[in-house]
Amino acid sequence: MHQKIKKNEGKPLVIKKILTKIQIKKVLNIYNNLPIEINNKRQKIKKKKWITSYEPNLQAIIIKKIKKKIGNFKLDNPRTKDGLDSFGLFQESQKPVNLHVDTSFNFKKILFKQFLLPLSSRGETVIFKNRFYGYPTTFSIDSRELKAKGYNKRSSEHLKIFKSKNFDKKKHKKYLKHENIENLRGLEIEMVYKWKIGEILIWDRTQLHCSSNNIKNKKIGFTVLTCK
Ligand SMILES: [Fe+2]
């Protein structure tokens, strides 16, 4: 059923020196100039979308470098609330982002990779080996979170899919204190990526992921979703 997606799956990948200091400054400028799309006070996160008609040359530079590494792809980001195409999403968060997957509501799409461009130097992203092929979902066992509304579906169905092995206590304490350890049952970490400005992290859209709890003040990242 998901054979076409699975065919393109692989290990996470980091591309070093994807942008120069001047280009990063430009990206931050773009971020500062864009209007806020979502301001979620509960999750302490602000989101802005990079509209494709805004600084297209810089987008082209980034896309070209990534295509060299992973081959051809199409952008697959949700549109802005005004219906404009988006190159990706800026997220400024003061709280670690919880366990989720960034798949698609359209099952006909051949999901491919997602990218993260760190724009602040302190942050970590935890990528799990576990994969999910349903709707974009935030995975939780917290009743308040399960009732919350957002772009993602809320669910605890992951606990039925993955083996109910206890999550590694040491890793929980080191990286994932913001998650209930029971919510991580059956999960196994594939990679903890330490944010570095100028790099880009690439991984499969079917992989569960979240921030680590090691966050200072706030972090800003830019993410892009793709399909084949
Ligand atoms: Fe994500």
Side-chain angles (χ1 to χ4, degrees), residues 49-104:
K49 285 177 181 167
W50 184 343
I51 300 148
T52 46
S53 57
Y54 194 27
E55 296 281 354
N57 294 343
L58 191 50
Q59 294 171 38
I61 291 170
I62 297 171
I63 288 172
K64 196 178 163 194
K65 285 196 176 171
I66 295 171
K67 281 191 174 170
K68 245 191 193 169
K69 289 270 177 188
I70 64 163
N72 217 10
F73 59 81
K74 285 186 272 193
L75 294 177
D76 189 35
N77 304 298
R79 294 210 166 130
T80 68
K81 53 187 173 191
D82 301 322
L84 301 170
D85 284 335
S86 150
F87 174 51
L89 185 68
F90 289 98
Q91 308 193 57
E92 181 180 323
S93 51
Q94 288 170 275
K95 246 178 86 179
V97 177
N98 287 101
L99 183 67
H100 70 281
V101 70
D102 298 306
T103 45
S104 171

Side-chain angles (χ1 to χ4, degrees), residues 60 63 65 97 99 106 119 140-141 170 172 177 179 226:
I63 288 172
K65 285 196 176 171
V97 177
L99 183 67
N106 182 347
L119 294 169
S140 179
I141 52 170
K170 274 189 200 148
H172 178 254
K177 283 187 293 232
E179 288 284 349
T226 76

Side-chain angles (χ1 to χ4, degrees), residues 20 37 40 69-70 99 140 163 201 209 214 219:
T20 64
E37 173 105 0
N40 187 321
K69 289 270 177 188
I70 64 163
L99 183 67
S140 179
K163 284 181 208 138
L201 171 69
H209 58 278
N214 302 317
K219 62 197 213 334

